[in-house]
Amino acid sequence: MSTALTARERMLGRLRAAAPSAPEAVEVVDVAIDNHYLARRAQAPLSPLGAIAAMQAALRVAHADVDCVSGDAWPALLAQRLAAHGARRLLLDTGSAEGQALRAALPPKVEALSFERPLAQWKGELFDTVDAGFTVARSGIAATGTLVIAPDAATPRTVSLAPPLHICLVYASTLHADLHAAARAERWADGMPANLALVSGPSKTSDIQQTLAYGAHGPRWLWVLIVDDLSAHEGGQP
C-alpha cells in the first residue's frame, strides 16, 4: 500500500510541477484536424465504387446483410425478400418517395404501416406485432460502415430500434470516406442536426465471457440496400 501511495504522490507531484500550457485557439485545432484527415485521405483516395465496396465490407464484418442494387430494382427485390423472411407488418414512411415505391411493390400478405399515432397509444402493438422497420439514411460513412439516420416525425428513432428487423436504404452518392468528411460535406458546424442516429450493425451485447448475443437491445437483423445512383451498375438481389 505504501509503495502505491508513493507512486501516486510522485505522479501527482510531476503533474503539479508541470507548467500549464496555453490552450490552442479553436481555429488552430480545426485546421490541424482538417489537415490530418485530408492527408490521410490523400494517401488512400477512395473512388465512388471504392466507397461502396468499403461500406459493404464494414457492414458485413458487423453482421449486417448488405447489397448494392439499382434504383429501379430495389423495391421488388426487397418486397420479395420480406415475404421470404415471413414479415407480416412493415413500418415505414408512406409519404416518402421510397416508402411509396416499396409499399406499391409489397405482396398482399405484407402490411405497410405508418407511424401516425403517438407511441403511448400503440406501444404494445408495435413491439409485439411489427416485424420490420424501413428507413432511408441521410448518408453513410464508408470507413466504418455507418448509416447516418436523421429521425423525424414520420420515421422516429423507434422505426429503426423497436422492430426485430431494421431495413435501411442509403444512396451511393451520399457515402463519405469517414466521419470527418461527412461532417464537413454536410456542414454540421453550421448547424448540427438536432437528432442523428449512427447505426453500424444489428444490436448486439455480450456477457462477461464475451459471448455475443444479437437483438437484446434493438434489431436482431440489419439489412442495408446501397442504391447505386452513380452508374448503370446492376446490383444483385438483396
Side-chain angles (χ1 to χ4, degrees), residues 39-233:
R40 193 169 75 172
R41 289 196 291 270
Q43 291 176 355
L46 195 63
S47 68
L49 288 180
I52 294 174
M55 187 80 176
Q56 287 179 304
L59 281 164
R60 285 171 178 158
V61 167
H63 291 264
D65 193 323
V66 54
D67 283 281
C68 185
V69 293
S70 63
D72 57 350
W74 73 263
L77 294 174
L78 180 53
Q80 179 184 12
R81 187 167 181 191
L82 281 166
H85 183 75
R88 299 292 182 180
R89 308 188 85 194
L90 171 67
L91 188 59
L92 75 168
D93 177 9
T94 55
S96 69
E98 294 85 0
Q100 292 174 5
L102 179 54
R103 184 179 187 179
L106 291 176
K109 62 181 179 180
V110 181
E111 179 186 3
L113 303 172
S114 57
F115 206 105
E116 297 177 340
R117 290 173 285 169
L119 178 60
Q121 294 184 8
W122 69 305
K123 183 168 61 174
E125 177 186 352
L126 169 63
F127 280 86
D128 294 338
T129 70
V130 175
D131 303 302
F134 174 77
T135 63
V136 179
R138 169 190 176 116
S139 57
I141 301 171
T144 54
T146 301
L147 301 161
V148 182
I149 300 173
D152 55 22
T155 51
R157 180 70 175 104
T158 312
V159 175
S160 61
L161 186 63
L165 168 61
H166 174 206
I167 306 161
C168 188
L169 183 149
V170 60
Y171 290 97
S173 59
T174 70
L175 299 183
H176 304 288
D178 49 46
L179 181 60
H180 175 267
R184 286 301 186 188
E186 298 180 14
R187 305 181 68 88
W188 292 4
D190 295 341
M192 181 68 183
N195 185 12
L196 287 181
L198 303 182
V199 176
S200 299
S203 170
K204 55 184 177 291
T205 188
S206 64
D207 57 20
I208 195 171
Q209 311 227 333
Q210 299 184 357
T211 302
L212 277 177
Y214 290 88
H217 306 295
R220 181 177 179 181
W221 302 285
L222 173 64
W223 296 353
V224 179
L225 299 179
I226 303 175
V227 175
D228 184 358
D229 56 344
L230 297 173
S231 68
H233 169 73

